[in-house]
Structure formats: C-alpha cells, structure tokens
Amino acid sequence: MERSEIIIGGDTAGIEWRVPVFRFKGSDSAAPSAYIQAALHANELPGTALLHFLLERLRKADGEGAIRGDITVVPQANPIGLAQYHFGEMEGRFDLGSRTNFNRDFPLVALAGRDTLLETFESRSAADRLKRTLLHTALGADLVLDLHCDDESLQYAYIDEAFWPEAADLASALDMEAVFLSDGESTAFEEAVGHAFKRQGGDKLKSVPGRLAVTVELRGRRDVYPDMARHDADGLWAFLAGRGVVTDPAHEAKPYAGPAVPLDNIEMVKAPEPGTVLFHRDIGDEVKAGDLIATLIVRPGEPGGTLAVTAGHDGLIATRCSARYARRGDDLMKIACREATRRDRKPGTLED
C-alpha cells in the first residue's frame, strides 16, 4: 500500500489543504481498477467510517496477495468543507466562499480529454482545484464510487441508466433498498465521471460495460456506527470481489430484489406552507396515494392551525428530512413510486 497526499494551496496566504490518498497496486493488469471516495460533502460521514474499515481489510488482503486490480481510496475527500463552520455547525455541503455545492460544477470532459482538467491549474480557486484533482484521479479507474448519505434515509444509490442493470451487483452487495436511475445530466462528481465514460473520445455511448460511476447514499447523516460501517465495508468488499478487483474464494453473488426507478418516478414531497413538522410515516414505509404522511402546525394554538400533507402516489418512503421546522417549499420526503410523478422535471439531479 502507498499513502500519499493531494496538496491544494489555499486562496489566502499561509493555508494549504491535504487530502490523504491510499493506493493498492493490483497483481493483474487485466483486472478492473477501482476508485472510491467519501465525504465530498464533508458533513456526510458514514462513507468515511466505511472506508476506515475497508482499508483495514484491504491492507490485510494486500499482504496476502489478494488484490488483483489497482484500488485508490480517498476516505475524506473534502478538507475545505471539513474546516468550514458557521455558528458552530459544519456546513459541509456548500462552499462558504462561492456558495456552490461541493458536489456540483465538476468539469464535463470526454475521457480522452482527462488531462485538460489540470490545465491553467494554479489560477483556479482551491475548491475548483480540489474538484479537478479528484475527477482526474477517478478517471484513471474503471469503477468509481462516490460515498454520500442523505438526511434520514434508506440505503440507496443514484445510478446512471448507462450502467444499469450491470450495477445491480453493487445494489445487492450493499443491501440497497432502492435504486434511483439517473439521466447523467448534471455536473455532480459521479455524473461528470459518467459523462467521460460515455464519451470516451467519440459519440455518446448508451451503455458502458465494465465501467461504473455511482453515488451511494449510505442511509442518513447520523447513521455512523461501528457495526453498521463494518457491515457496509463487507458489502463493498463483496462488490469488489464480484468484479474481480480482489480475490475472495468465499464470495457468493446474490440478486438484487429492490426497486429500480427513474428519477421521474420520485415524488418530492414539499412543505406547502412553513410550520412545525409532525411525521406520521417513517422511511421504509409503503404508502398509498392519499395516505397522511405528515402534519404541519402552521398556526400554533389556533383552531384549524394545522395542514395535512398526503402522499400523491403509491410508493416507498426512501428519505425524510431531519429538521422539524420546514420553510415553504422545503423537501420533506422522497417517495420512490411505481409510476411517473411528474412530467416537468429538468434533466439532472433531484436537489441542489
């Protein structure tokens, strides 16, 4: 194993950012290579915990000669966000300097143009240099996993339709309870990788066998526990074994049995008015159209001061917000439905 650091100079004098990178050299040049990162949103830490335990297993496997393909692991990908606190709370998701989501504005290049990511490098902001360095590193691998989490959430993933159903092995290995099939039309990290994989130098490819770019949502932000992280690390190991990146004679593949739905089938339940949120249903619940899922106390203490929020479609509650006060238009839940829930969704991600 080789440990190195990505060093990003700060935008003001006297500051630099260091990103630890762990690399394992595979024994078989024909085996798939993998790149795995966590905490691009710095306050989303289930992936960092997972990779801590996965690295233990990879070090052991390295000593046993069980690593076939090259593996690169970045367990905490965003030291800039990690240091940005506002009134005592880590922001993590948005860069305070640019007000940009740390998981947006990744450059979209063809795979053949990978090295252009590092052009005019020193004139760019620290956040942009971090993004370009992470993307450049990831595009050297065949399998790219970006580990995130939601607010309160089931285990699920965003997977570009170009990688499905081949990627069902990842969904199965990580015991995912849902898969959201994305269109690959945003500037998020995973979709920037997918953009390059689908445009390797010529026309856009509809499918890319042997490649993968995926955002894994490891439950909710507070789901950071040792047994859970070890279990998820075992699942990720099983995925690597199934793809031939590592050797594990005990590995047995299992089918994925959960739903895989396009983003048009995701009902984004929003607060129609501001108020205190009383949830009646939890993540993992199956609901029917018209079911009461939340009550908003919009005028506390007044007769008729509440507002019912109901499900618009049949489906599975995949996520729920952890805040118990909602502004008008805030997201309350995501429901994975069996039918399209809207026709006006813009290409790209569900949220900013």
Side-chain angles (χ1 to χ4, degrees), residues 266-288:
I266 306 301
E267 180 182 351
M268 301 293 290
V269 180
K270 296 180 177 292
E273 294 186 27
T276 299
V277 183
L278 306 176
F279 282 119
H280 300 283
R281 306 299 293 268
D282 203 348
I283 56 172
D285 287 352
E286 292 277 353
V287 294
K288 299 289 186 182

Side-chain angles (χ1 to χ4, degrees), residues 137-185:
T137 305
L139 290 180
D142 301 308
L143 310 173
V144 177
L145 283 71
D146 192 16
L147 306 184
H148 287 255
C149 68
D150 212 300
D151 206 351
E152 295 178 1
S153 175
L154 303 179
Q155 189 117 301
Y156 73 99
Y158 290 97
I159 302 179
D160 190 318
E161 292 175 340
F163 306 113
W164 190 261
E166 187 179 12
D169 60 341
L170 176 66
S172 171
L174 282 174
D175 298 322
M176 290 180 189
E177 294 169 88
V179 167
F180 295 178
L181 298 175
S182 63
D183 50 29
E185 296 299 324

